[in-house]
Amino acid sequence: MRIPTFSILLLLACVTAVSACASPYSATGPDDWAAIARNGFSADDVGYVLFDPDSGAVLAERQPAKPFAPASVAKLPAMAAALAVLGPDHRFETTLHITGRLGDGVLDGDLILKGGGDPSLSSEGLTELLRDLGALGVTRVTGRFLYDTSALPEMAEIDAGQPWTAGYNTGVGALSLNFNRFRFDWARPAAGQPVRVSAWSVSDTGRVPLDSVTVQLGAGAGAAFTPLIAMDGEPANGEPGGERWRFAPQPGMAASLWLPVTRPGLAAAHVFRRLAVEAGIALPAPAPGAVPPTATLAALHRSEPLEVLARQVLRYSNNLSAELIGLAAARRLDPAVQTLPESAAVLTAPAMLAAPRTDWTGLRLLNHSGLSAASRITPAQTMALIQGAGPAVLALLPGEDEGKVLPPGVRAKSGTLAYAKALAGTLKTAGGRTLGFAFFVTDEAQRAAMDRTMDRRIAEIPPEARAWLARARKLQADLLELWIAGL
């Protein structure tokens, strides 16, 4: 797959933008009114653009200039920009470095694990590094075991407007492992016996105790988990290191659930140390540090190519993966980037410059994953970003929405938040035409009301929000059917 350079993208997007502006928006027919009303929405809730991706001609539209919440549709322009900046063959590297002298199996010096922002790094990748370290003859380290996260800024969560306990709102950092979530298990063996709890870092081939997590038992109604480490990473209880949670068992709750890792570098280092014991290598407790210039590279693990990772992001919509890939690309353009809003702005800027005839008023992307109720994008802006992405990137789009198959010929990125639904990509009409589309439906008032009363300890969305999303999915399906059949 060939991804055009920014200079080529600039030329192509300018050409298509001129064509789009030369073609007046056509009026929508009555059928979409019927579909909107039938599914219980007002016309003001809905926005879309249906267009010819080659000429830029708009075939149907509703509120194309109104900003909507993009949800995970934001991942599409993020992956397109990352592929253009880093290249489809880019691989993320995780490395081991040593200092000092090695003799008789003893490293008289330091061992440093350095993260390179690999969004797919798993326990198996760490095992590969340990296998190479063992091949050098290392069985013990007398110095320090350091973990280096300097390649990317580390953050305790993606979005501060999401629940603390949401497994999709994880910490972000250069050394991220097993998608930065852990499995919490609990059991009450018998009446009068203490509750047993455990935390595990889980990969495809097994699980490892997560020593960076401590769970404090408590009692209380309404919420099972409360973090005892503030979300900025600073200890909230006066104790340094690790993550601490207060757990109060609730009636009827599951015996196992997923929680986010908020200190990813430390968690990955602890898992590495556990795996090292299994490999016959004794390490001291991990500590943060940096690879010194005099260190020697001891082992290297590389991810799959970015093209493969981007396809997975567009299909499975993993938020952490989108953020890490977006951050890496933005930092390539501007190494000073430190926050997700800064990163999203840097990565979006080239696409905005490439489509100067597009009205970018109201565009507000706060991260690369779309995990923010405050992000906004218009259907017309999404159209410009789809055109700028180009056929090679659009070919990576899945033919499914949240694991459910889309109609034949539809390839798109979906997005879902409470009171926000979106879908953008391409479709094939009954007449054989390939068209681009961007569809959004949002209830601003109900989302704002939900946010005002949010308990960050509770990850489940309200039943009324789930019912709203069911209607939004039906509207989406009805509009796709109209577009496919009618053109």
Side-chain angles (χ1 to χ4, degrees):
M1 176 180 120
R2 297 180 60 192
I3 302 295
T5 62
F6 269 121
S7 60
I8 297 176
L9 279 175
L10 178 63
L11 176 61
L12 291 178
C14 285
V15 170
T16 55
V18 170
S19 177
C21 286
S23 303
Y25 285 120
S26 59
T28 54
D31 285 341
D32 77 323
W33 284 97
I36 291 168
R38 183 170 61 247
N39 289 288
F41 294 99
S42 72
D44 194 51
D45 294 332
V46 182
Y48 63 76
V49 173
L50 181 68
F51 62 95
D52 185 315
D54 296 322
S55 69
V58 174
L59 306 175
E61 54 139 20
R62 179 170 294 285
Q63 301 194 102
K66 179 178 178 177
F68 290 86
S72 286
V73 164
K75 294 181 174 76
L76 173 53
M79 292 304 100
L83 285 162
V85 172
L86 300 174
D89 298 323
H90 176 81
R91 295 174 184 260
F92 295 90
E93 297 182 348
T94 307
T95 52
L96 272 182
H97 306 260
I98 58 175
T99 66
R101 299 175 57 186
L102 174 61
D104 296 327
V106 177
L107 175 62
D108 188 13
D110 296 338
L111 177 69
I112 308 103
L113 173 65
K114 182 170 184 177
D118 182 356
S120 61
L121 183 64
S122 65
S123 297
E124 291 73 37
L126 297 186
T127 299
E128 290 178 15
L129 291 172
L130 285 163
R131 188 179 304 122
D132 291 344
L133 185 65
L136 296 177
V138 177
T139 60
R140 185 163 63 91
V141 174
T142 62
R144 299 170 298 173
F145 169 42
L146 304 176
Y147 60 96
D148 184 342
T149 63
S150 60
L152 296 176
E154 185 161 292
M155 307 158 203
E157 60 184 347
I158 295 171
D159 180 59
Q162 301 295 323
W164 285 317
T165 55
Y168 52 79
N169 187 33
T170 69
V172 178
L175 190 55
S176 294
L177 182 72
N178 296 333
F179 299 108
N180 284 354
R181 63 177 191 165
F182 69 93
R183 199 182 79 188
F184 174 78
D185 294 342
W186 74 283
R188 195 190 309 271
Q193 296 296 313
V195 173
R196 295 201 305 263
V197 298
S198 56
W200 306 88
S201 183
V202 181
S203 66
D204 288 342
T205 59
R207 63 182 191 173
V208 178
L210 190 53
D211 299 318
S212 63
V213 171
T214 302
V215 178
Q216 172 184 315
L217 291 174
F225 289 95
T226 303
L228 298 179
I229 291 285
M231 288 294 106
D232 60 4
E234 292 299 320
N237 55 4
E239 296 184 16
E243 301 178 42
R244 297 178 63 85
W245 292 81
R246 178 181 176 273
F247 172 56
Q250 303 297 304
M253 71 173 291
S256 180
L257 69 160
W258 294 99
L259 291 171
V261 168
T262 62
R263 304 190 70 178
L266 179 63
H270 272 288
V271 172
F272 185 87
R273 188 186 186 211
R274 281 274 188 172
L275 294 172
V277 172
E278 296 179 8
I281 302 174
L283 299 179
V291 177
T294 56
T296 300
L297 178 66
L300 166 69
H301 172 77
R302 306 180 76 203
S303 72
E304 291 186 282
L306 178 56
E307 179 183 356
V308 175
L309 300 179
R311 185 189 295 274
Q312 292 171 350
V313 168
L314 294 174
R315 180 180 182 187
Y316 299 110
S317 209
N318 182 267
N319 294 324
L320 172 66
S321 296
E323 302 300 355
L324 290 174
I325 292 171
L327 269 171
R331 297 261 290 190
R332 176 72 64 86
L333 296 174
D334 182 359
V337 163
Q338 291 295 322
T339 69
L340 291 177
E342 289 175 358
S343 185
V346 166
L347 206 57
T348 308
M352 295 171 66
L353 292 172
R357 304 287 183 95
T358 298
D359 182 0
W360 294 102
T361 304
L363 179 67
R364 185 172 186 241
L365 298 179
L366 298 182
N367 52 42
H368 305 290
S369 66
L371 186 63
S372 171
S375 288
R376 292 292 182 271
I377 194 169
T378 71
Q381 291 163 356
T382 308
M383 168 183 159
L385 293 171
I386 289 174
Q387 290 181 285
V393 175
L394 297 179
L396 301 178
L397 288 170
E400 59 186 56
D401 174 5
E402 300 175 27
K404 296 182 179 179
V405 177
L406 289 166
V410 178
R411 302 182 67 89
K413 182 71 196 81
S414 65
T416 306
L417 290 171
Y419 299 112
K421 185 73 180 75
L423 191 73
T426 61
L427 60 83
K428 283 191 179 295
T429 71
R433 297 179 67 182
T434 297
L435 301 177
F437 70 92
F439 159 79
F440 301 90
V441 55
T442 302
D443 192 313
E444 300 275 4
Q446 291 199 71
R447 178 68 207 204
M450 191 189 84
D451 287 341
R452 284 194 298 269
T453 60
M454 177 183 290
D455 184 342
R456 294 200 71 195
R457 301 172 301 169
I458 308 297
E460 294 78 13
I461 67 171
E464 54 270 26
R466 290 197 295 271
W468 186 96
L469 284 170
R471 291 191 289 113
R473 293 185 184 99
K474 183 62 170 62
L475 173 60
Q476 172 185 289
D478 289 350
L479 290 179
L480 286 174
E481 182 179 359
L482 285 173
W483 296 338
I484 292 169
L487 294 164

PDB file of all heavy atoms in Angstrom, residues 314-339:
ATOM      1  N   LEU A 314      -9.224   0.740  13.223  1.00  0.00           N
ATOM      2  CA  LEU A 314     -10.456   1.093  12.531  1.00  0.00           C
ATOM      3  C   LEU A 314     -11.518   0.013  12.692  1.00  0.00           C
ATOM      4  O   LEU A 314     -12.711   0.306  12.658  1.00  0.00           O
ATOM      5  CB  LEU A 314     -10.168   1.345  11.050  1.00  0.00           C
ATOM      6  CG  LEU A 314      -9.285   2.575  10.774  1.00  0.00           C
ATOM      7  CD1 LEU A 314      -8.933   2.658   9.296  1.00  0.00           C
ATOM      8  CD2 LEU A 314      -9.965   3.859  11.227  1.00  0.00           C
ATOM      9  N   ARG A 315     -11.096  -1.225  12.886  1.00  0.00           N
ATOM     10  CA  ARG A 315     -12.078  -2.298  13.067  1.00  0.00           C
ATOM     11  C   ARG A 315     -12.502  -2.445  14.528  1.00  0.00           C
ATOM     12  O   ARG A 315     -13.694  -2.498  14.842  1.00  0.00           O
ATOM     13  CB  ARG A 315     -11.518  -3.623  12.560  1.00  0.00           C
ATOM     14  CG  ARG A 315     -12.515  -4.766  12.725  1.00  0.00           C
ATOM     15  CD  ARG A 315     -11.990  -6.087  12.240  1.00  0.00           C
ATOM     16  NE  ARG A 315     -13.001  -7.132  12.390  1.00  0.00           N
ATOM     17  CZ  ARG A 315     -12.789  -8.420  12.177  1.00  0.00           C
ATOM     18  NH1 ARG A 315     -11.603  -8.849  11.778  1.00  0.00           N
ATOM     19  NH2 ARG A 315     -13.769  -9.293  12.348  1.00  0.00           N
ATOM     20  N   TYR A 316     -11.521  -2.527  15.425  1.00  0.00           N
ATOM     21  CA  TYR A 316     -11.839  -2.824  16.827  1.00  0.00           C
ATOM     22  C   TYR A 316     -11.989  -1.570  17.681  1.00  0.00           C
ATOM     23  O   TYR A 316     -12.440  -1.647  18.824  1.00  0.00           O
ATOM     24  CB  TYR A 316     -10.765  -3.733  17.425  1.00  0.00           C
ATOM     25  CG  TYR A 316     -10.671  -5.060  16.703  1.00  0.00           C
ATOM     26  CD1 TYR A 316      -9.568  -5.364  15.913  1.00  0.00           C
ATOM     27  CD2 TYR A 316     -11.696  -5.995  16.796  1.00  0.00           C
ATOM     28  CE1 TYR A 316      -9.480  -6.575  15.241  1.00  0.00           C
ATOM     29  CE2 TYR A 316     -11.611  -7.211  16.120  1.00  0.00           C
ATOM     30  CZ  TYR A 316     -10.503  -7.490  15.342  1.00  0.00           C
ATOM     31  OH  TYR A 316     -10.424  -8.677  14.670  1.00  0.00           O
ATOM     32  N   SER A 317     -11.570  -0.426  17.163  1.00  0.00           N
ATOM     33  CA  SER A 317     -11.794   0.877  17.793  1.00  0.00           C
ATOM     34  C   SER A 317     -11.177   0.992  19.182  1.00  0.00           C
ATOM     35  O   SER A 317     -11.738   1.642  20.064  1.00  0.00           O
ATOM     36  CB  SER A 317     -13.303   1.174  17.879  1.00  0.00           C
ATOM     37  OG  SER A 317     -13.545   2.557  17.839  1.00  0.00           O
ATOM     38  N   ASN A 318      -9.996   0.391  19.396  1.00  0.00           N
ATOM     39  CA  ASN A 318      -9.351   0.503  20.693  1.00  0.00           C
ATOM     40  C   ASN A 318      -8.862   1.934  20.910  1.00  0.00           C
ATOM     41  O   ASN A 318      -8.088   2.472  20.106  1.00  0.00           O
ATOM     42  CB  ASN A 318      -8.182  -0.482  20.789  1.00  0.00           C
ATOM     43  CG  ASN A 318      -7.516  -0.443  22.137  1.00  0.00           C
ATOM     44  OD1 ASN A 318      -6.551   0.284  22.346  1.00  0.00           O
ATOM     45  ND2 ASN A 318      -8.035  -1.208  23.086  1.00  0.00           N
ATOM     46  N   ASN A 319      -9.301   2.550  21.986  1.00  0.00           N
ATOM     47  CA  ASN A 319      -8.983   3.955  22.239  1.00  0.00           C
ATOM     48  C   ASN A 319      -7.500   4.174  22.500  1.00  0.00           C
ATOM     49  O   ASN A 319      -6.894   5.124  21.992  1.00  0.00           O
ATOM     50  CB  ASN A 319      -9.796   4.469  23.421  1.00  0.00           C
ATOM     51  CG  ASN A 319     -11.277   4.513  23.128  1.00  0.00           C
ATOM     52  OD1 ASN A 319     -11.694   4.818  22.012  1.00  0.00           O
ATOM     53  ND2 ASN A 319     -12.085   4.209  24.126  1.00  0.00           N
ATOM     54  N   LEU A 320      -6.901   3.319  23.329  1.00  0.00           N
ATOM     55  CA  LEU A 320      -5.483   3.476  23.639  1.00  0.00           C
ATOM     56  C   LEU A 320      -4.640   3.411  22.377  1.00  0.00           C
ATOM     57  O   LEU A 320      -3.729   4.226  22.185  1.00  0.00           O
ATOM     58  CB  LEU A 320      -5.044   2.397  24.629  1.00  0.00           C
ATOM     59  CG  LEU A 320      -3.534   2.335  24.887  1.00  0.00           C
ATOM     60  CD1 LEU A 320      -3.046   3.599  25.583  1.00  0.00           C
ATOM     61  CD2 LEU A 320      -3.169   1.097  25.688  1.00  0.00           C
ATOM     62  N   SER A 321      -4.912   2.445  21.512  1.00  0.00           N
ATOM     63  CA  SER A 321      -4.124   2.300  20.283  1.00  0.00           C
ATOM     64  C   SER A 321      -4.207   3.564  19.439  1.00  0.00           C
ATOM     65  O   SER A 321      -3.195   4.039  18.897  1.00  0.00           O
ATOM     66  CB  SER A 321      -4.617   1.098  19.479  1.00  0.00           C
ATOM     67  OG  SER A 321      -4.418  -0.104  20.190  1.00  0.00           O
ATOM     68  N   ALA A 322      -5.406   4.129  19.316  1.00  0.00           N
ATOM     69  CA  ALA A 322      -5.558   5.358  18.532  1.00  0.00           C
ATOM     70  C   ALA A 322      -4.752   6.498  19.138  1.00  0.00           C
ATOM     71  O   ALA A 322      -4.100   7.265  18.407  1.00  0.00           O
ATOM     72  CB  ALA A 322      -7.037   5.727  18.448  1.00  0.00           C
ATOM     73  N   GLU A 323      -4.777   6.614  20.455  1.00  0.00           N
ATOM     74  CA  GLU A 323      -4.044   7.708  21.108  1.00  0.00           C
ATOM     75  C   GLU A 323      -2.534   7.556  20.939  1.00  0.00           C
ATOM     76  O   GLU A 323      -1.829   8.533  20.663  1.00  0.00           O
ATOM     77  CB  GLU A 323      -4.403   7.789  22.589  1.00  0.00           C
ATOM     78  CG  GLU A 323      -5.887   7.992  22.896  1.00  0.00           C
ATOM     79  CD  GLU A 323      -6.480   9.270  22.329  1.00  0.00           C
ATOM     80  OE1 GLU A 323      -5.730  10.090  21.757  1.00  0.00           O
ATOM     81  OE2 GLU A 323      -7.696   9.453  22.464  1.00  0.00           O
ATOM     82  N   LEU A 324      -2.028   6.340  21.107  1.00  0.00           N
ATOM     83  CA  LEU A 324      -0.581   6.128  20.985  1.00  0.00           C
ATOM     84  C   LEU A 324      -0.104   6.377  19.560  1.00  0.00           C
ATOM     85  O   LEU A 324       0.938   7.016  19.340  1.00  0.00           O
ATOM     86  CB  LEU A 324      -0.224   4.708  21.423  1.00  0.00           C
ATOM     87  CG  LEU A 324      -0.358   4.419  22.920  1.00  0.00           C
ATOM     88  CD1 LEU A 324      -0.111   2.942  23.209  1.00  0.00           C
ATOM     89  CD2 LEU A 324       0.608   5.276  23.739  1.00  0.00           C
ATOM     90  N   ILE A 325      -0.854   5.893  18.572  1.00  0.00           N
ATOM     91  CA  ILE A 325      -0.464   6.107  17.180  1.00  0.00           C
ATOM     92  C   ILE A 325      -0.551   7.592  16.840  1.00  0.00           C
ATOM     93  O   ILE A 325       0.355   8.156  16.202  1.00  0.00           O
ATOM     94  CB  ILE A 325      -1.352   5.266  16.248  1.00  0.00           C
ATOM     95  CG1 ILE A 325      -1.045   3.778  16.440  1.00  0.00           C
ATOM     96  CG2 ILE A 325      -1.132   5.661  14.793  1.00  0.00           C
ATOM     97  CD1 ILE A 325      -2.014   2.852  15.732  1.00  0.00           C
ATOM     98  N   GLY A 326      -1.625   8.241  17.270  1.00  0.00           N
ATOM     99  CA  GLY A 326      -1.758   9.665  17.009  1.00  0.00           C
ATOM    100  C   GLY A 326      -0.679  10.493  17.676  1.00  0.00           C
ATOM    101  O   GLY A 326      -0.112  11.414  17.069  1.00  0.00           O
ATOM    102  N   LEU A 327      -0.363  10.163  18.923  1.00  0.00           N
ATOM    103  CA  LEU A 327       0.699  10.881  19.634  1.00  0.00           C
ATOM    104  C   LEU A 327       2.046  10.731  18.930  1.00  0.00           C
ATOM    105  O   LEU A 327       2.803  11.701  18.792  1.00  0.00           O
ATOM    106  CB  LEU A 327       0.815  10.356  21.064  1.00  0.00           C
ATOM    107  CG  LEU A 327      -0.014  11.044  22.144  1.00  0.00           C
ATOM    108  CD1 LEU A 327       0.052  10.246  23.437  1.00  0.00           C
ATOM    109  CD2 LEU A 327       0.482  12.477  22.381  1.00  0.00           C
ATOM    110  N   ALA A 328       2.356   9.505  18.501  1.00  0.00           N
ATOM    111  CA  ALA A 328       3.638   9.270  17.831  1.00  0.00           C
ATOM    112  C   ALA A 328       3.750  10.100  16.558  1.00  0.00           C
ATOM    113  O   ALA A 328       4.802  10.689  16.264  1.00  0.00           O
ATOM    114  CB  ALA A 328       3.801   7.785  17.523  1.00  0.00           C
ATOM    115  N   ALA A 329       2.662  10.168  15.795  1.00  0.00           N
ATOM    116  CA  ALA A 329       2.689  10.943  14.558  1.00  0.00           C
ATOM    117  C   ALA A 329       2.784  12.439  14.848  1.00  0.00           C
ATOM    118  O   ALA A 329       3.551  13.158  14.195  1.00  0.00           O
ATOM    119  CB  ALA A 329       1.444  10.638  13.737  1.00  0.00           C
ATOM    120  N   ALA A 330       2.025  12.916  15.822  1.00  0.00           N
ATOM    121  CA  ALA A 330       2.063  14.341  16.155  1.00  0.00           C
ATOM    122  C   ALA A 330       3.434  14.752  16.682  1.00  0.00           C
ATOM    123  O   ALA A 330       3.941  15.830  16.352  1.00  0.00           O
ATOM    124  CB  ALA A 330       0.979  14.668  17.181  1.00  0.00           C
ATOM    125  N   ARG A 331       4.031  13.879  17.478  1.00  0.00           N
ATOM    126  CA  ARG A 331       5.367  14.203  18.008  1.00  0.00           C
ATOM    127  C   ARG A 331       6.427  14.174  16.899  1.00  0.00           C
ATOM    128  O   ARG A 331       7.457  14.842  17.011  1.00  0.00           O
ATOM    129  CB  ARG A 331       5.744  13.209  19.111  1.00  0.00           C
ATOM    130  CG  ARG A 331       4.815  13.259  20.313  1.00  0.00           C
ATOM    131  CD  ARG A 331       5.369  14.055  21.441  1.00  0.00           C
ATOM    132  NE  ARG A 331       6.494  13.412  22.074  1.00  0.00           N
ATOM    133  CZ  ARG A 331       7.054  13.818  23.210  1.00  0.00           C
ATOM    134  NH1 ARG A 331       6.557  14.868  23.844  1.00  0.00           N
ATOM    135  NH2 ARG A 331       8.079  13.190  23.742  1.00  0.00           N
ATOM    136  N   ARG A 332       6.186  13.421  15.848  1.00  0.00           N
ATOM    137  CA  ARG A 332       7.097  13.473  14.705  1.00  0.00           C
ATOM    138  C   ARG A 332       7.030  14.860  14.058  1.00  0.00           C
ATOM    139  O   ARG A 332       8.059  15.394  13.618  1.00  0.00           O
ATOM    140  CB  ARG A 332       6.701  12.393  13.690  1.00  0.00           C
ATOM    141  CG  ARG A 332       7.506  12.398  12.396  1.00  0.00           C
ATOM    142  CD  ARG A 332       8.935  11.902  12.562  1.00  0.00           C
ATOM    143  NE  ARG A 332       8.988  10.518  12.973  1.00  0.00           N
ATOM    144  CZ  ARG A 332       8.946   9.468  12.145  1.00  0.00           C
ATOM    145  NH1 ARG A 332       8.826   9.665  10.837  1.00  0.00           N
ATOM    146  NH2 ARG A 332       9.036   8.229  12.619  1.00  0.00           N
ATOM    147  N   LEU A 333       5.832  15.444  14.009  1.00  0.00           N
ATOM    148  CA  LEU A 333       5.677  16.779  13.438  1.00  0.00           C
ATOM    149  C   LEU A 333       6.104  17.879  14.405  1.00  0.00           C
ATOM    150  O   LEU A 333       6.651  18.894  13.987  1.00  0.00           O
ATOM    151  CB  LEU A 333       4.217  17.004  13.036  1.00  0.00           C
ATOM    152  CG  LEU A 333       3.662  16.098  11.932  1.00  0.00           C
ATOM    153  CD1 LEU A 333       2.172  16.343  11.753  1.00  0.00           C
ATOM    154  CD2 LEU A 333       4.403  16.324  10.627  1.00  0.00           C
ATOM    155  N   ASP A 334       5.827  17.669  15.696  1.00  0.00           N
ATOM    156  CA  ASP A 334       6.156  18.673  16.714  1.00  0.00           C
ATOM    157  C   ASP A 334       6.550  17.956  18.000  1.00  0.00           C
ATOM    158  O   ASP A 334       5.685  17.548  18.776  1.00  0.00           O
ATOM    159  CB  ASP A 334       4.966  19.587  16.962  1.00  0.00           C
ATOM    160  CG  ASP A 334       5.270  20.689  17.985  1.00  0.00           C
ATOM    161  OD1 ASP A 334       6.401  20.722  18.512  1.00  0.00           O
ATOM    162  OD2 ASP A 334       4.364  21.502  18.260  1.00  0.00           O
ATOM    163  N   PRO A 335       7.843  17.780  18.270  1.00  0.00           N
ATOM    164  CA  PRO A 335       8.294  17.054  19.461  1.00  0.00           C
ATOM    165  C   PRO A 335       7.872  17.696  20.778  1.00  0.00           C
ATOM    166  O   PRO A 335       7.982  17.053  21.830  1.00  0.00           O
ATOM    167  CB  PRO A 335       9.824  17.054  19.320  1.00  0.00           C
ATOM    168  CG  PRO A 335      10.087  17.285  17.872  1.00  0.00           C
ATOM    169  CD  PRO A 335       8.977  18.169  17.406  1.00  0.00           C
ATOM    170  N   ALA A 336       7.378  18.929  20.751  1.00  0.00           N
ATOM    171  CA  ALA A 336       6.991  19.607  21.985  1.00  0.00           C
ATOM    172  C   ALA A 336       5.599  19.215  22.459  1.00  0.00           C
ATOM    173  O   ALA A 336       5.184  19.623  23.555  1.00  0.00           O
ATOM    174  CB  ALA A 336       7.055  21.121  21.791  1.00  0.00           C
ATOM    175  N   VAL A 337       4.862  18.432  21.693  1.00  0.00           N
ATOM    176  CA  VAL A 337       3.499  18.050  22.062  1.00  0.00           C
ATOM    177  C   VAL A 337       3.516  17.296  23.389  1.00  0.00           C
ATOM    178  O   VAL A 337       4.284  16.353  23.575  1.00  0.00           O
ATOM    179  CB  VAL A 337       2.869  17.174  20.965  1.00  0.00           C
ATOM    180  CG1 VAL A 337       1.646  16.433  21.493  1.00  0.00           C
ATOM    181  CG2 VAL A 337       2.492  18.027  19.759  1.00  0.00           C
ATOM    182  N   GLN A 338       2.644  17.718  24.325  1.00  0.00           N
ATOM    183  CA  GLN A 338       2.589  17.083  25.641  1.00  0.00           C
ATOM    184  C   GLN A 338       1.201  16.596  26.033  1.00  0.00           C
ATOM    185  O   GLN A 338       1.084  15.786  26.945  1.00  0.00           O
ATOM    186  CB  GLN A 338       3.075  18.068  26.713  1.00  0.00           C
ATOM    187  CG  GLN A 338       4.559  18.377  26.636  1.00  0.00           C
ATOM    188  CD  GLN A 338       5.418  17.149  26.937  1.00  0.00           C
ATOM    189  OE1 GLN A 338       5.088  16.346  27.811  1.00  0.00           O
ATOM    190  NE2 GLN A 338       6.514  17.000  26.212  1.00  0.00           N
ATOM    191  N   THR A 339       0.152  17.087  25.390  1.00  0.00           N
ATOM    192  CA  THR A 339      -1.210  16.713  25.765  1.00  0.00           C
ATOM    193  C   THR A 339      -1.949  16.169  24.553  1.00  0.00           C
ATOM    194  O   THR A 339      -1.566  16.410  23.399  1.00  0.00           O
ATOM    195  CB  THR A 339      -1.982  17.916  26.322  1.00  0.00           C
ATOM    196  OG1 THR A 339      -2.228  18.848  25.265  1.00  0.00           O
ATOM    197  CG2 THR A 339      -1.211  18.595  27.449  1.00  0.00           C
TER     198      THR A 339
END
